Amino acid sequence: MRRFLAVLVALTLVGCGNDPPPATGRFGEVTSAVVVVNPVINQGSTTTVAPGAARSGVQFKAADLEPVKTDSTGLAVVEELPTGTVQLDFNPGTYSFQVVQEKELYDVVVVYRDGAVQPLFPPVRYPLGGAVVEVEPGGNIAQAAASDNTIIVLKPGNYPGNFELRAAGVLIFGAWSPTEGPLSIIDGNVTVLGGSNRMRGVKINGRLTSNANNLSVAFSDIASATITGNGVSLLRNRFTAGQATVPSSNAVLVDNTGIP
């Protein structure tokens, strides 16, 4: 492993079909947000918010930037965001969230219906404030993530699984290809024990298990999962074995495939 100072991660976001449309979030290079509008709410979610019908072509404006429209899956990428309070203006209807630091990435999931905008869960922040470590294929992810608030960048390749994440506030980013999907593959199980951990754009060939609070997993391929913590959000993941058990009292599952 080595210190990864100039962070630039190309993130190809998983859609709802077998061939997800690519979108880039230039984490570490430009301040950006991935906005998902009116997602499908999966079974197991505890939210009572009902999404609107419109997904494709929903237009909104972020701060003073040019308006953007969602693609056919309800996804839009907004770049060059200012720091501070950022308002998404759907005209009518607005929603605001905080951008803490330049060059960070945010996942923002909202319902838009009847001229009102409402978040399904708080925006997921991918911060740059902690230590950033690049892990080579075959490297020890658990060792790299031994300290709280570490950002782990995985290069394309295979990584040994069957490890525990005990630290809190850890981010794990995988490498992606627009044509091949996830290129950072964890061969085995992953057990999350620390709170407020986030995973994005990885492939786990085994079972993801967590009893920790505030876990976020987005745009990942996972064979199966058992998640019992509170404050859980699962966004646009593909469960390749069709198994995900989320008996949480506070969980929101949206746009995931391979589960109801």
Side-chain angles (χ1 to χ4, degrees):
M1 297 177 294
R2 58 186 177 84
R3 180 81 174 176
F4 193 57
L5 299 177
V7 183
L8 174 58
V9 182
L11 300 175
T12 302
L13 306 182
V14 181
C16 294
N18 291 327
D19 297 311
T24 57
R26 291 182 288 158
F27 172 67
E29 181 186 17
V30 61
T31 315
S32 59
V34 172
V35 181
V36 178
V37 178
N38 291 331
V40 174
I41 298 179
N42 301 110
Q43 292 182 18
S45 294
T46 55
T47 181
T48 59
V49 179
R55 301 199 76 183
S56 175
V58 178
Q59 180 171 294
F60 64 91
K61 183 179 179 181
D64 294 326
L65 302 175
E66 291 295 318
V68 297
K69 290 184 179 181
T70 58
D71 65 11
S72 62
T73 72
L75 183 147
V77 179
V78 185
E79 298 186 332
E80 304 290 353
L81 291 172
T83 57
T85 301
V86 172
Q87 178 174 281
L88 304 181
D89 186 358
F90 286 75
N91 191 28
T94 63
Y95 171 67
S96 297
F97 67 101
Q98 294 295 315
V99 173
V100 179
Q101 184 176 331
E102 291 183 349
K103 300 182 181 180
E104 292 185 338
L105 175 66
Y106 295 79
D107 285 334
V108 182
V109 182
V110 299
V111 163
Y112 179 54
R113 57 180 299 176
D114 302 326
V117 188
Q118 185 175 357
L120 275 169
F121 48 83
V124 180
R125 176 191 173 202
Y126 301 91
L128 287 173
V132 182
V133 178
E134 183 183 47
V135 182
E136 300 283 344
N140 190 323
I141 297 175
Q143 181 179 350
S147 299
D148 293 350
N149 303 317
T150 302
I151 299 168
I152 305 297
V153 178
L154 302 180
K155 299 185 72 173
N158 290 66
Y159 298 80
N162 300 325
F163 61 82
E164 296 179 342
L165 293 176
R166 294 183 170 274
V170 174
L171 278 65
I172 298 179
F173 287 91
W176 275 82
S177 161
T179 56
E180 300 178 53
L183 302 178
S184 301
I185 303 167
I186 299 173
D187 292 317
N189 303 322
V190 177
T191 301
V192 179
L193 301 176
S196 300
N197 284 318
R198 281 147 289 184
M199 304 180 71
R200 201 176 195 274
V202 298
K203 182 176 182 179
I204 300 175
N205 283 335
R207 176 171 289 273
L208 172 63
T209 304
S210 175
N211 62 1
N213 294 333
N214 302 315
L215 172 69
S216 172
V217 184
F219 307 111
S220 295
D221 285 6
I222 304 166
S224 60
T226 300
I227 299 172
T228 58
N230 294 320
V232 172
S233 64
L234 302 180
L235 169 63
R236 289 202 177 192
N237 301 292
R238 296 187 293 190
F239 292 92
T240 57
Q243 299 177 8
T245 303
V246 188
S248 168
S249 62
N250 183 13
V252 181
L253 294 69
V254 295
D255 274 355
N256 299 284
T257 58
I259 58 175

